[in-house]
Amino acid sequence: MRLATWNINSIRARTERAVAFVERSGVDVLALQETKCKDDQFPREPFEALGYEVVTHGFSQWNGVAVISRVGVDAVEQGFPGMPTWGDPAAAEARALGVTAGGVRVWSLYVPNGREIGDPHYVYKLDWLAKLRDAAAGWLAADAGAQVALVGDWNIAPLDTDVWDPAFFAGRTHVTPAEREAFVAIGGAGYTEVSREHVPAEHTYTYWDYQQLRFPRNEGMRIDLTYASPALAARVTGVTIERNERKGKAPSDHVPVVLEIAD
DNA sequence: ATGTCGACACGCTGTCGA
C-alpha cells in the first residue's frame, strides 16, 4: 500500500494539483491537512471519478483535514478521544481525522501552530500533543499489534538540522524544548517516526515559507512527519519527500510525503 | 526578476491565520 500525507493549504485552490498528484503517484491513501473548507465545499467529484472515497472534516476556512482512499474507509472518527478544544466558546477544531483504510488506522493530523511562545495557542499546542500521546498510547495498550499511522503537519522541527538556521528560530515556536519533548513523547508511547529512518539526510525539508524566497534559497523546515505503530513500522519499505511539488505555479507551501508499505 | 498566500466580508481593501 502507498500512503501519502500532504498539507495542501486549501484544497479548493489546488484541486488540479492534488488530482494530478494522486494520478501520478498512484497513492492508495492520501491524508490531507489545511483543506480550508467546510465538508460541503470539498471538491469530492474529481477524486471519486478516479475511484477514491473521500472523507472530510472541516468547519470553516481554517484548519480542515481529509482522507482520500481507494482501499476503503471505515470507522471514521472526527477528532481523537480527549482532544482539547479551542476558542470562546470552546469548541473542537477540525485537526484530526481517523479512518481505517486498507487495514491501517490512518490519522490525518494538523497540529496547532502555537503562534508565539507563551501565547495561549502555544499552551493549546502542547496540551493537544500531550492528549494525542495519551490517545495513541491507549490504542497500543488495547492492541499491541495495531496498524496505526499518525501522519500530517506536526508544526515541530524535531532536530536543529530540520531547519536551515537554528539561530533564526531562537525565541520562536516549532523548535522549543517543550515542543520537541512533546513530539518525542509520541515515540515514548511506542511509535516510530519512520520518515527519518528512510530519509535520514540532514536539511531535508517538507515545508518552505512563501515569504522571503525561502524555497529558491532552500530555507525550509522538516515538519511533516509520520509516526507508525510497531507492527506498521516493520512494513514500511520506503519514504519519498516529493520536493518537486513545491515548484511551478501556485504550489502549497508543504510537499507530500509518501510511504511505501509492504503487503 | 520576483521578497507570500488563501479565505472571508459591514467586500474590491482590510483582517486573520499561517
Side-chain angles (χ1 to χ4, degrees):
Chain A
M1 184 172 90
R2 192 167 292 164
L3 166 65
T5 182
W6 193 6
N7 179 320
I8 190 72
N9 186 23
S10 173
I11 185 62
R12 288 178 291 170
R14 264 171 276 287
T15 304
E16 285 186 25
R17 243 186 203 269
V19 170
F21 170 72
V22 164
E23 289 194 281
R24 171 177 68 77
S25 63
V27 292
D28 298 297
V29 182
L30 173 60
L32 294 167
Q33 301 87 37
E34 275 209 274
T35 52
K36 288 187 169 177
C37 66
K38 301 173 185 175
D39 293 335
D40 62 4
Q41 296 175 309
F42 194 102
R44 315 170 62 89
E45 293 78 10
F47 300 101
E48 290 171 348
L50 293 172
Y52 290 80
E53 294 173 88
V54 179
V55 180
T56 65
H57 180 40
F59 294 128
S60 68
Q61 71 268 43
W62 292 304
N63 314 310
V65 283
V67 176
I68 293 166
S69 169
R70 65 177 178 190
V71 289
V73 284
D74 201 0
V76 174
E77 265 185 279
Q78 298 185 333
F80 57 81
M83 191 180 78
T85 56
W86 174 252
D88 183 15
E93 294 189 300
R95 294 182 176 275
L97 178 65
V99 314
T100 300
V104 177
R105 188 71 182 153
V106 176
W107 281 94
S108 181
L109 303 171
Y110 178 45
V111 176
N113 173 287
R115 299 180 186 167
E116 307 286 340
I117 296 171
D119 188 290
H121 206 260
Y122 179 78
V123 177
Y124 170 55
K125 178 181 192 174
L126 295 176
D127 186 37
W128 202 96
L129 287 160
K131 296 301 193 299
L132 175 61
R133 175 206 58 202
D134 292 346
W139 298 327
L140 285 184
D143 177 8
Q147 304 276 337
V148 184
L150 310 177
V151 308
D153 175 2
W154 292 80
N155 271 318
I156 296 169
L159 305 179
D160 278 352
T161 49
D162 292 330
V163 300
W164 80 92
D165 179 11
F168 176 85
F169 288 90
R172 300 178 192 250
T173 61
H174 292 57
V175 299
T176 64
E179 289 166 285
R180 287 174 169 175
E181 286 163 15
F183 183 80
V184 168
I186 306 286
Y191 294 79
T192 300
E193 203 291 288
V194 290
S195 75
R196 196 183 304 283
E197 285 203 331
H198 289 271
V199 185
E202 297 179 347
H203 301 286
T204 300
Y205 307 128
T206 64
Y207 160 87
W208 298 259
D209 199 306
Y210 289 122
Q211 302 184 58
Q212 305 296 129
L213 296 174
R214 292 294 183 218
F215 184 64
R217 296 178 179 188
N218 196 30
E219 296 175 344
M221 308 173 76
R222 184 194 280 229
I223 57 177
D224 299 273
L225 303 149
T226 294
Y227 269 116
S229 64
L232 181 65
R235 294 171 58 206
V236 177
T237 58
V239 174
T240 304
I241 296 171
E242 299 278 347
R243 189 177 187 281
N244 285 342
E245 275 295 344
R246 187 63 177 79
K247 301 177 180 177
K249 188 183 176 199
S252 170
D253 42 4
H254 297 250
V255 295
V257 179
V258 183
L259 280 74
E260 205 68 45
I261 299 168
D263 290 334

PDB file of all heavy atoms in Angstrom, chain A residues 204-217:
ATOM      1  N   THR A 204      16.764  18.108   5.029  1.00  0.00           N
ATOM      2  CA  THR A 204      15.771  17.646   4.059  1.00  0.00           C
ATOM      3  C   THR A 204      14.420  18.155   4.536  1.00  0.00           C
ATOM      4  O   THR A 204      13.935  17.754   5.588  1.00  0.00           O
ATOM      5  CB  THR A 204      15.758  16.113   3.982  1.00  0.00           C
ATOM      6  OG1 THR A 204      17.053  15.667   3.589  1.00  0.00           O
ATOM      7  CG2 THR A 204      14.730  15.615   2.983  1.00  0.00           C
ATOM      8  N   TYR A 205      13.839  19.054   3.763  1.00  0.00           N
ATOM      9  CA  TYR A 205      12.671  19.786   4.246  1.00  0.00           C
ATOM     10  C   TYR A 205      11.376  19.322   3.590  1.00  0.00           C
ATOM     11  O   TYR A 205      11.389  18.752   2.496  1.00  0.00           O
ATOM     12  CB  TYR A 205      12.854  21.291   4.002  1.00  0.00           C
ATOM     13  CG  TYR A 205      14.152  21.827   4.551  1.00  0.00           C
ATOM     14  CD1 TYR A 205      15.025  22.571   3.751  1.00  0.00           C
ATOM     15  CD2 TYR A 205      14.527  21.578   5.873  1.00  0.00           C
ATOM     16  CE1 TYR A 205      16.223  23.060   4.248  1.00  0.00           C
ATOM     17  CE2 TYR A 205      15.729  22.065   6.380  1.00  0.00           C
ATOM     18  CZ  TYR A 205      16.571  22.805   5.557  1.00  0.00           C
ATOM     19  OH  TYR A 205      17.752  23.274   6.054  1.00  0.00           O
ATOM     20  N   THR A 206      10.268  19.626   4.279  1.00  0.00           N
ATOM     21  CA  THR A 206       8.932  19.348   3.729  1.00  0.00           C
ATOM     22  C   THR A 206       8.102  20.612   3.589  1.00  0.00           C
ATOM     23  O   THR A 206       6.998  20.569   3.056  1.00  0.00           O
ATOM     24  CB  THR A 206       8.169  18.371   4.638  1.00  0.00           C
ATOM     25  OG1 THR A 206       7.954  18.993   5.917  1.00  0.00           O
ATOM     26  CG2 THR A 206       8.932  17.064   4.832  1.00  0.00           C
ATOM     27  N   TYR A 207       8.619  21.725   4.091  1.00  0.00           N
ATOM     28  CA  TYR A 207       7.888  22.997   4.106  1.00  0.00           C
ATOM     29  C   TYR A 207       8.859  24.145   3.882  1.00  0.00           C
ATOM     30  O   TYR A 207       9.957  24.149   4.456  1.00  0.00           O
ATOM     31  CB  TYR A 207       7.176  23.168   5.458  1.00  0.00           C
ATOM     32  CG  TYR A 207       6.785  24.587   5.794  1.00  0.00           C
ATOM     33  CD1 TYR A 207       5.564  25.110   5.371  1.00  0.00           C
ATOM     34  CD2 TYR A 207       7.638  25.426   6.511  1.00  0.00           C
ATOM     35  CE1 TYR A 207       5.212  26.423   5.662  1.00  0.00           C
ATOM     36  CE2 TYR A 207       7.298  26.734   6.811  1.00  0.00           C
ATOM     37  CZ  TYR A 207       6.092  27.227   6.382  1.00  0.00           C
ATOM     38  OH  TYR A 207       5.745  28.523   6.666  1.00  0.00           O
ATOM     39  N   TRP A 208       8.438  25.080   3.036  1.00  0.00           N
ATOM     40  CA  TRP A 208       9.196  26.313   2.819  1.00  0.00           C
ATOM     41  C   TRP A 208       8.188  27.456   2.814  1.00  0.00           C
ATOM     42  O   TRP A 208       7.249  27.464   1.998  1.00  0.00           O
ATOM     43  CB  TRP A 208       9.924  26.298   1.472  1.00  0.00           C
ATOM     44  CG  TRP A 208      10.946  25.213   1.295  1.00  0.00           C
ATOM     45  CD1 TRP A 208      12.302  25.331   1.414  1.00  0.00           C
ATOM     46  CD2 TRP A 208      10.716  23.837   0.925  1.00  0.00           C
ATOM     47  NE1 TRP A 208      12.909  24.129   1.149  1.00  0.00           N
ATOM     48  CE2 TRP A 208      11.964  23.193   0.850  1.00  0.00           C
ATOM     49  CE3 TRP A 208       9.560  23.087   0.659  1.00  0.00           C
ATOM     50  CZ2 TRP A 208      12.101  21.835   0.518  1.00  0.00           C
ATOM     51  CZ3 TRP A 208       9.695  21.748   0.335  1.00  0.00           C
ATOM     52  CH2 TRP A 208      10.950  21.140   0.270  1.00  0.00           C
ATOM     53  N   ASP A 209       8.408  28.435   3.678  1.00  0.00           N
ATOM     54  CA  ASP A 209       7.516  29.593   3.748  1.00  0.00           C
ATOM     55  C   ASP A 209       7.424  30.266   2.378  1.00  0.00           C
ATOM     56  O   ASP A 209       8.389  30.278   1.613  1.00  0.00           O
ATOM     57  CB  ASP A 209       8.069  30.587   4.786  1.00  0.00           C
ATOM     58  CG  ASP A 209       7.011  31.566   5.270  1.00  0.00           C
ATOM     59  OD1 ASP A 209       6.382  32.232   4.421  1.00  0.00           O
ATOM     60  OD2 ASP A 209       6.806  31.660   6.485  1.00  0.00           O
ATOM     61  N   TYR A 210       6.248  30.824   2.092  1.00  0.00           N
ATOM     62  CA  TYR A 210       6.095  31.564   0.838  1.00  0.00           C
ATOM     63  C   TYR A 210       6.955  32.835   0.840  1.00  0.00           C
ATOM     64  O   TYR A 210       7.319  33.345  -0.224  1.00  0.00           O
ATOM     65  CB  TYR A 210       4.634  31.986   0.648  1.00  0.00           C
ATOM     66  CG  TYR A 210       3.665  30.864   0.332  1.00  0.00           C
ATOM     67  CD1 TYR A 210       2.581  30.626   1.161  1.00  0.00           C
ATOM     68  CD2 TYR A 210       3.811  30.078  -0.807  1.00  0.00           C
ATOM     69  CE1 TYR A 210       1.658  29.628   0.874  1.00  0.00           C
ATOM     70  CE2 TYR A 210       2.897  29.076  -1.104  1.00  0.00           C
ATOM     71  CZ  TYR A 210       1.818  28.856  -0.261  1.00  0.00           C
ATOM     72  OH  TYR A 210       0.906  27.873  -0.556  1.00  0.00           O
ATOM     73  N   GLN A 211       7.222  33.366   2.014  1.00  0.00           N
ATOM     74  CA  GLN A 211       7.900  34.655   2.107  1.00  0.00           C
ATOM     75  C   GLN A 211       9.411  34.518   1.948  1.00  0.00           C
ATOM     76  O   GLN A 211       9.992  33.464   2.172  1.00  0.00           O
ATOM     77  CB  GLN A 211       7.627  35.272   3.482  1.00  0.00           C
ATOM     78  CG  GLN A 211       6.165  35.478   3.789  1.00  0.00           C
ATOM     79  CD  GLN A 211       5.956  36.173   5.116  1.00  0.00           C
ATOM     80  OE1 GLN A 211       6.446  37.267   5.332  1.00  0.00           O
ATOM     81  NE2 GLN A 211       5.230  35.534   6.016  1.00  0.00           N
ATOM     82  N   GLN A 212      10.022  35.630   1.584  1.00  0.00           N
ATOM     83  CA  GLN A 212      11.489  35.765   1.635  1.00  0.00           C
ATOM     84  C   GLN A 212      12.221  34.768   0.746  1.00  0.00           C
ATOM     85  O   GLN A 212      13.340  34.379   1.054  1.00  0.00           O
ATOM     86  CB  GLN A 212      11.978  35.630   3.091  1.00  0.00           C
ATOM     87  CG  GLN A 212      11.349  36.563   4.074  1.00  0.00           C
ATOM     88  CD  GLN A 212      11.663  38.021   3.799  1.00  0.00           C
ATOM     89  OE1 GLN A 212      10.775  38.858   3.740  1.00  0.00           O
ATOM     90  NE2 GLN A 212      12.931  38.334   3.614  1.00  0.00           N
ATOM     91  N   LEU A 213      11.568  34.352  -0.348  1.00  0.00           N
ATOM     92  CA  LEU A 213      12.233  33.441  -1.287  1.00  0.00           C
ATOM     93  C   LEU A 213      12.778  32.198  -0.580  1.00  0.00           C
ATOM     94  O   LEU A 213      13.865  31.718  -0.896  1.00  0.00           O
ATOM     95  CB  LEU A 213      13.372  34.170  -2.016  1.00  0.00           C
ATOM     96  CG  LEU A 213      12.941  35.333  -2.904  1.00  0.00           C
ATOM     97  CD1 LEU A 213      14.165  36.062  -3.447  1.00  0.00           C
ATOM     98  CD2 LEU A 213      12.077  34.855  -4.062  1.00  0.00           C
ATOM     99  N   ARG A 214      12.025  31.706   0.372  1.00  0.00           N
ATOM    100  CA  ARG A 214      12.534  30.585   1.164  1.00  0.00           C
ATOM    101  C   ARG A 214      12.790  29.341   0.312  1.00  0.00           C
ATOM    102  O   ARG A 214      13.760  28.627   0.552  1.00  0.00           O
ATOM    103  CB  ARG A 214      11.547  30.234   2.282  1.00  0.00           C
ATOM    104  CG  ARG A 214      11.418  31.272   3.370  1.00  0.00           C
ATOM    105  CD  ARG A 214      12.678  31.433   4.176  1.00  0.00           C
ATOM    106  NE  ARG A 214      12.463  32.387   5.254  1.00  0.00           N
ATOM    107  CZ  ARG A 214      13.357  33.272   5.673  1.00  0.00           C
ATOM    108  NH1 ARG A 214      14.548  33.328   5.098  1.00  0.00           N
ATOM    109  NH2 ARG A 214      13.085  34.095   6.655  1.00  0.00           N
ATOM    110  N   PHE A 215      11.930  29.084  -0.660  1.00  0.00           N
ATOM    111  CA  PHE A 215      12.158  27.867  -1.460  1.00  0.00           C
ATOM    112  C   PHE A 215      13.356  28.004  -2.395  1.00  0.00           C
ATOM    113  O   PHE A 215      14.231  27.114  -2.408  1.00  0.00           O
ATOM    114  CB  PHE A 215      10.900  27.461  -2.225  1.00  0.00           C
ATOM    115  CG  PHE A 215      11.067  26.165  -2.977  1.00  0.00           C
ATOM    116  CD1 PHE A 215      11.295  24.975  -2.303  1.00  0.00           C
ATOM    117  CD2 PHE A 215      11.030  26.142  -4.365  1.00  0.00           C
ATOM    118  CE1 PHE A 215      11.476  23.777  -2.998  1.00  0.00           C
ATOM    119  CE2 PHE A 215      11.211  24.957  -5.062  1.00  0.00           C
ATOM    120  CZ  PHE A 215      11.436  23.778  -4.375  1.00  0.00           C
ATOM    121  N   PRO A 216      13.465  29.082  -3.165  1.00  0.00           N
ATOM    122  CA  PRO A 216      14.658  29.208  -4.016  1.00  0.00           C
ATOM    123  C   PRO A 216      15.957  29.135  -3.205  1.00  0.00           C
ATOM    124  O   PRO A 216      16.972  28.654  -3.702  1.00  0.00           O
ATOM    125  CB  PRO A 216      14.484  30.580  -4.666  1.00  0.00           C
ATOM    126  CG  PRO A 216      13.010  30.799  -4.684  1.00  0.00           C
ATOM    127  CD  PRO A 216      12.496  30.148  -3.432  1.00  0.00           C
ATOM    128  N   ARG A 217      15.903  29.605  -1.987  1.00  0.00           N
ATOM    129  CA  ARG A 217      17.106  29.565  -1.147  1.00  0.00           C
ATOM    130  C   ARG A 217      17.212  28.258  -0.344  1.00  0.00           C
ATOM    131  O   ARG A 217      18.144  28.108   0.432  1.00  0.00           O
ATOM    132  CB  ARG A 217      17.077  30.748  -0.177  1.00  0.00           C
ATOM    133  CG  ARG A 217      17.142  32.080  -0.885  1.00  0.00           C
ATOM    134  CD  ARG A 217      17.076  33.249   0.067  1.00  0.00           C
ATOM    135  NE  ARG A 217      17.177  34.498  -0.682  1.00  0.00           N
ATOM    136  CZ  ARG A 217      17.306  35.697  -0.133  1.00  0.00           C
ATOM    137  NH1 ARG A 217      17.335  35.815   1.174  1.00  0.00           N
ATOM    138  NH2 ARG A 217      17.407  36.770  -0.881  1.00  0.00           N
TER     139      ARG A 217
END
